[in-house]
Amino acid sequence: LQRKNYQMTIKNKNMDIQTILIIIMVGIAAGILGGLVGVGGGIIIVPALVYFIGFSQKTAQGTSLGLIMLPVGILGVLQYYKQGHVDFKVVGILAVGFLIGSFFGSKVALSLSQETIKKLFAILMVLIAIKMLFFDKEVKAAEPTTTEKTVSTKISSGNDG
């Protein structure tokens, strides 16, 4: 039996175990952040692939886009679904928009220089951060549903049924 070297080749570049582990950790971090606040691809994966793995901005963006096309987030979605926090109508509409937007966005990105893409990406992240930090209004908690009110009333009154 031949002993195989534990390396993975992607786009003619050998990746050692350390690189593979870094990529796995980036995926875990993006998954955690995605589960917590609904982001991951652009904010975590793209910069990590650029700075830790040495991908070009375009390759990092394309790889991130490839990731979200696969159902890798299904377990997180199921957790939110169980709690009633997934609106599949909106998901479907977003998917149509994303399909169209990703086509045109990728065409534009691929026509721009590497430096222009990096600057646009950085500006977008800064603008979003400023908006979230200084201009978002506090959202009041939603009123409990009738079921939640009934359960709450029964619990607080000690009524079992």
Side-chain angles (χ1 to χ4, degrees), residues 26 36 74:
V26 168
L36 286 173
I74 191 69

Side-chain angles (χ1 to χ4, degrees), residues 79-101:
Q79 294 304 309
Y80 278 92
Y81 177 75
K82 288 178 188 177
Q83 297 292 317
H85 296 294
V86 177
D87 185 328
F88 284 105
K89 279 193 228 173
V90 173
V91 168
I93 295 166
L94 283 171
V96 170
F98 191 90
L99 181 70
I100 295 165

Side-chain angles (χ1 to χ4, degrees), residues 114-133:
Q114 191 76 1
E115 287 304 310
T116 302
I117 295 284
K118 278 186 176 181
K119 288 175 182 168
L120 287 172
F121 183 75
I123 289 168
L124 178 64
M125 289 198 314
V126 168
L127 290 174
I128 291 170
I130 289 170
K131 181 190 180 301
M132 291 177 75
L133 285 169

Side-chain angles (χ1 to χ4, degrees), residues 36-89:
L36 286 173
V37 293
V39 299
I43 303 226
I44 296 294
I45 294 173
V46 171
L49 291 177
V50 169
Y51 294 111
F52 297 136
I53 308 302
F55 277 13
S56 71
Q57 183 75 19
K58 290 177 182 178
T59 301
Q61 287 177 197
T63 301
S64 177
L65 191 62
L67 171 69
I68 63 172
M69 296 299 170
L70 301 173
V72 296
I74 191 69
L75 296 177
V77 171
L78 286 173
Q79 294 304 309
Y80 278 92
Y81 177 75
K82 288 178 188 177
Q83 297 292 317
H85 296 294
V86 177
D87 185 328
F88 284 105
K89 279 193 228 173

Side-chain angles (χ1 to χ4, degrees), residues 10 24 33 51 91 94 102 142:
I10 293 181
I24 290 170
L33 197 56
Y51 294 111
V91 168
L94 283 171
S102 66

